[in-house]
């Protein structure tokens, strides 16, 4: 990574999110830089999706703020956050099922301000990049689950985002599909000059993919650091990875996915 202070940065500053009496996030600080892959991990209910919802404008934080390159974006509606360069995928796939794969991606590019022709060419490039060119005319509702996830990521990138937030992209994928996804995700920050935040319970994927990890538990940051630091952190092992350690935790199937 180069560029030092000039790098695009998304900063979460002391964000607290309350739902009535429930405090889903408590004074969370986090930074995401262009060119890096940050893993956001923690047990179910620890506030990971809530944090992504706050960053993307679906929720306004109760306290604290989100800043992109010096501009406060928290409190803005989602479409204005998107215009500030922040794109996401959802924990459950949300494509326009009656539109073709190409149309889904094109639409995202058009909504980001590209003209029709540029949007089409961007969609073609992205389909090529992600190995889904042969699916261009397929109705998105007819795709296999693993393909849907890839289309969702291509669609998010079609907005020309500076920051890409992926909420459990490997959930529901088999080992082979997860491996293919990992290969496709690796090069994104460099190729698209963006910062990528990824939430997932697949510790093997997370540890191999991410430059840095941020760990939440009950809405609070309990650790942040490199994969090696996190793997050996006793607080993280206690709260999330389990006493057997990261290797076993990574190998164990997740049984606690929400539906
Ligand atoms: N819109 C909401 N209204 C009320 N409670 C919510 C809402 N969204 C999330 N929560 C609660 O906030 C906590 C954190 O949830 P979430 O961010 O989805 O966790 P994670 O993604 O880490 O599994 C949970 O207790 C959840 O039930
Ligand atoms: Mg979640």
């Amino acid at each position: 990574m180069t560029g030092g202070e000039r790098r695009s940065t998304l900063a979460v500053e002391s964000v607290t999110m309350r739902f009535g009496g429930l405090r889903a996030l408590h004074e969370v600080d986090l930074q995401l830089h262009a060119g890096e892959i940050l893993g956001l991990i923690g047990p179910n209910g620890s506030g990971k999706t809530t944090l992504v919802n706050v960053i993307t404008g679906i929720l306004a934080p109760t306290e604290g703020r989100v800043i992109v390159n010096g501009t406060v974006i928290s409190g803005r509606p989602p479409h204005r956050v998107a215009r500030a360069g922040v794109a996401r995928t959802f924990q459950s796939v949300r494509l326009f099922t009656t539109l073709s794969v190409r149309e889904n991606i094109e639409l995202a590019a058009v909504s980001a301000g590209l003209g029709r022709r540029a949007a089409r060419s961007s969609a073609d490039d992205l389909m090529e990049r992600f190995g889904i060119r042969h699916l261009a005319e397929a109705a998105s509702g007819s795709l296999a689950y693993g393909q849907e996830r890839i289309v969702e990521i291509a669609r998010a990138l079609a907005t020309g985002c500076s920051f890409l937030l992926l909420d459990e992209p490997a959930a529901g994928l088999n080992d082979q599909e997860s491996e293919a996804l990992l290969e496709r995700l690796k090069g994104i920050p460099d190729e698209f000059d963006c910062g990528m935040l990824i939430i997932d319970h697949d510790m093997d994927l997370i540890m191999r993919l991410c430059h840095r990890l941020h760990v939440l538990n009950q809405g609070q940051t309990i650790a942040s650091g490199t994969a090696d630091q996190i793997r050996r952190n006793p607080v993280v092992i206690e709260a999330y990875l389990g006493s057997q350690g990261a290797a076993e935790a990574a190998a164990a199937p997740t049984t606690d996915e929400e539906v």
Side-chain angles (χ1 to χ4, degrees):
M1 257 175 289
T2 54
E5 297 303 308
R6 294 260 176 84
R7 276 184 303 170
S8 270
T9 299
L10 183 155
V12 170
E13 289 188 358
S14 199
V15 160
T16 294
M17 185 72 225
R18 288 198 194 88
F19 299 111
L22 177 86
R23 196 175 60 189
L25 294 171
H26 183 57
E27 294 180 0
V28 173
D29 288 298
L30 172 153
Q31 290 204 340
L32 175 63
H33 304 286
E36 80 168 341
I37 307 180
L38 177 69
L40 180 61
I41 62 172
N44 279 329
S46 57
K48 304 181 299 293
T49 296
T50 300
L51 184 56
V52 167
N53 286 340
V54 167
I55 293 172
T56 52
I58 288 174
L59 295 170
T62 313
E63 286 164 46
R65 47 194 206 160
V66 182
I67 298 173
V68 170
N69 295 332
T71 302
V72 176
I73 60 157
S74 39
R76 289 187 183 180
H79 70 276
R80 290 196 55 215
V81 172
R83 231 178 282 151
V86 182
R88 74 175 295 178
T89 64
F90 288 87
Q91 203 164 342
S92 49
V93 177
R94 299 185 185 184
L95 295 169
F96 295 109
T97 52
T98 57
L99 297 184
S100 72
V101 166
R102 176 185 272 127
E103 286 165 340
N104 262 282
I105 301 172
E106 250 177 39
L107 200 60
V110 167
S111 73
L114 261 63
R116 273 233 160 278
R117 189 176 292 181
R120 188 174 181 104
S121 132
S122 162
D124 285 346
D125 287 350
L126 282 160
M127 288 187 293
E128 196 73 49
R129 160 70 174 73
F130 285 100
I132 51 173
R133 189 74 189 249
H134 61 292
L135 299 172
E137 311 307 333
S140 298
S142 72
L143 301 178
Y145 186 72
Q147 294 170 333
E148 286 181 339
R149 306 236 67 138
I150 295 289
V151 174
E152 244 215 328
I153 293 166
R155 186 176 62 166
L157 285 167
T159 64
C161 57
S162 304
F163 302 97
L164 175 62
L165 316 177
L166 306 176
D167 197 353
E168 303 203 18
L173 301 186
N174 63 34
D175 286 353
Q176 200 184 343
E177 289 169 327
S178 288
E179 197 60 35
L181 180 70
L182 177 91
E183 286 308 315
R184 300 216 184 276
L185 294 181
K186 260 198 231 160
I188 287 178
D190 272 349
E191 253 179 80
F192 296 89
D193 191 25
C194 65
M196 190 161 90
L197 178 147
I198 176 168
I199 297 174
D200 216 274
H201 288 289
D202 181 340
M203 278 309 107
D204 178 54
L205 178 132
I206 285 287
M207 298 278 176
R208 287 161 65 202
L209 185 61
C210 296
H211 305 125
R212 231 162 27 92
L213 300 181
H214 190 102
V215 193
L216 291 180
N217 189 40
Q218 299 182 350
Q220 287 184 275
T221 299
I222 57 168
S224 68
T226 64
D228 266 351
Q229 289 166 339
I230 296 302
R231 203 183 266 129
R232 287 190 258 105
N233 184 313
V235 178
V236 179
I237 292 170
E238 168 75 25
Y240 183 52
L241 295 177
S243 53
Q244 296 159 315
E248 285 87 347
T254 46
T255 53
D256 56 355
E257 289 302 330
E258 54 267 73
V259 282

